[in-house]
Amino acid sequence: MEHDLARYHRQMLLPGFGEAGQRRLLASTVLILGCGALGSIAADMLVRAGVGHIVLIDRDFPEIHNLQRQVLFDEADVEAATPKAVAAQKKLARINSQVRITAVVEDVNRTNIAAYARGVDLILDGLDNFETRYLANDFAVKYGLPYLYGAAVGMTGMAFPVLPHTQGGRDWETGPAGNFATPCLRCLFEEAPPPGTLPTCDTVGVLSSAVALVANFQVAEALKILTGNFAHVSRTLLNLDLWANDIQQLDVSNVYDEGDCPCCRHHRFDYLDGDAGSNATVLCGRDSVQLQPGPGVEQADLAAVARRLSSHGPVHSNDYLLRAQLVDGEKAYEITLFANGRTMVKGTADTGVARGIYAKYVGV
């Protein structure tokens, strides 16, 4: 297919782009995991920039409260309950017909990530939980793919581009200007925090501006990587708090050399191989899913979760477990969180839905 490059003229004037850089973008494929706040903004920008193929994966449907920050959806999508990936695909196709957009309505896990990620040029994180981020990081390191971590909640956000250290050497490791490989996500955060210790958008809210800053940082790094400008890829961890007027670039360039990362140093892919991460089981005849915590989770912070969930419905807790009634969209659920991190989500037999409810309200 011959592309009309005129629409990218202002971008091609930039240093590091030109016609050659633009053609590299048009020949690239980006996998976006999650099409919520971060993912929808990133997809919008990458399609406008002329990335040739975008693969969107999301398990969810848009709800009215999403419209505050998820830029590819409108009230008609909410009314029709159109899956986010499909609604985004339709909107993006109207923005740039030169770009191919693949929509996948799916819950990404270790059994299917290879089917969607193998052969792409870059993985962009629009996720809502650490477990799937570690899974994406494992896949990226094992197969030598760039991975763009991003997260935003409340007034805060973080982002970091991963150019993994590989055994075989990739373009960013073997170029004439030097080796630009970075630490991976598990270099920065070796283990997921215990259940209930992190806030979520559903418990503390989220500022759309914080989301937009993180997503556009991810997009800028993606464009550098896809055009081969590895020397300009950030080697710092973006950490921002817009309420405190605090934007930092934290130097993490020595974390790989000084650490002992199980993933990129020892090539142990715990989440991809199934040795870590929660294990979901459908409880027969009970309309419930049980989620087992990953290794290393010893104690859930029941009191912290109870405080956060009290605004969503009745909560009962004791020394052994927490039980919360809540309504998500138009459906009622019951979450039972045990002290050891084991969780039961009542109200669905869909493991993807259960993981989504867990990520929203428990927060890991």
Side-chain angles (χ1 to χ4, degrees):
M1 174 182 177
E2 184 59 34
H3 296 281
D4 177 10
L5 299 184
R7 69 187 301 153
Y8 310 115
H9 177 256
R10 301 301 189 274
Q11 183 167 278
M12 290 164 58
L13 292 174
L14 297 171
F17 281 80
E19 181 175 335
Q22 189 60 52
R23 292 197 181 278
R24 285 186 64 153
L25 290 181
L26 289 164
S28 298
T29 298
V30 171
L31 171 64
I32 299 181
L33 298 178
C35 201
L38 291 173
S40 61
I41 293 172
D44 186 19
M45 292 294 100
L46 291 173
V47 164
R48 293 177 189 275
V51 172
H53 184 198
I54 303 289
V55 181
L56 302 171
I57 302 183
D58 195 285
R59 65 189 173 210
D60 214 347
F61 298 80
E63 299 175 60
I64 194 68
H65 60 79
N66 296 152
L67 303 186
Q68 168 247 358
R69 64 200 179 279
Q70 299 184 16
V71 299
L72 293 179
F73 314 122
D74 55 34
E75 293 176 357
D77 297 318
V78 175
E79 180 68 24
T82 307
K84 288 184 179 179
V86 175
Q89 178 190 42
K90 292 178 179 178
K91 179 66 67 65
L92 294 168
R94 295 195 295 270
I95 292 171
N96 190 346
S97 60
Q98 296 186 8
V99 170
R100 181 159 65 101
I101 299 136
T102 300
V104 180
V105 183
E106 182 62 274
D107 178 46
V108 176
N109 56 64
R110 71 180 189 86
T111 68
N112 61 20
I113 188 170
Y116 305 123
R118 192 163 288 149
V120 307
D121 299 291
L122 183 145
I123 300 172
L124 190 141
D125 175 356
L127 296 162
D128 60 3
N129 67 90
F130 260 98
E131 183 178 327
T132 315
R133 288 185 175 114
Y134 284 144
L135 173 66
N137 183 77
D138 273 6
F139 191 93
V141 173
K142 183 173 183 177
Y143 294 102
L145 289 173
Y147 163 61
L148 296 178
Y149 160 69
V153 65
M155 308 287 191
T156 67
M158 300 182 78
F160 183 72
V162 174
L163 292 174
H165 293 262
T166 69
Q167 291 175 306
R170 300 296 293 221
D171 291 348
W172 53 85
E173 296 177 283
T174 59
N179 187 338
F180 299 106
T182 71
C184 79
L185 186 64
R186 289 195 73 185
C187 291
L188 304 180
F189 312 107
E190 184 173 342
E191 300 294 341
T197 56
L198 289 183
T200 75
C201 297
D202 293 82
T203 57
V204 302
V206 61
L207 184 69
S208 60
S209 304
V211 173
L213 280 172
V214 170
N216 278 287
F217 178 88
Q218 291 177 292
V219 168
E221 298 307 301
L223 296 179
K224 295 175 191 176
I225 293 167
L226 295 173
T227 56
N229 288 288
F230 304 118
H232 294 280
V233 173
S234 175
R235 300 183 63 79
T236 59
L237 173 67
L238 175 68
N239 186 28
L240 59 88
D241 185 332
L242 295 186
W243 198 248
N245 302 309
D246 185 17
I247 300 178
Q248 302 179 34
Q249 296 277 9
L250 305 177
D251 185 0
V252 295
S253 56
N254 293 327
V255 172
Y256 173 82
D257 293 325
E258 297 174 359
D260 194 34
C261 178
C263 182
C264 62
R265 268 201 173 278
H266 294 285
H267 305 287
R268 219 177 62 219
F269 307 110
D270 299 332
Y271 289 84
L272 188 59
D273 294 338
D275 298 325
S278 63
N279 185 17
T281 304
V282 178
L283 303 180
C284 184
R286 297 175 59 184
D287 194 31
S288 299
V289 174
Q290 178 173 270
L291 302 172
Q292 295 286 357
V297 175
E298 297 179 357
Q299 189 72 25
D301 191 341
L302 299 180
V305 177
R307 285 193 296 271
R308 293 210 306 272
L309 293 186
S310 61
S311 62
H312 294 273
V315 177
H316 169 79
S317 64
N318 54 36
D319 291 340
Y320 307 100
L321 62 84
L322 171 152
R323 179 165 289 137
Q325 311 283 338
L326 56 92
V327 175
D328 186 85
E330 297 181 356
K331 281 213 65 178
Y333 298 94
E334 179 181 275
I335 295 177
T336 303
L337 173 65
F338 295 84
N340 67 354
R342 182 169 62 90
T343 306
M344 292 173 58
V345 179
K346 184 177 181 180
T348 182
D350 186 320
T351 58
V353 170
R355 284 195 178 98
I357 294 296
Y358 180 87
K360 280 185 176 182
Y361 294 101
V362 178
V364 174

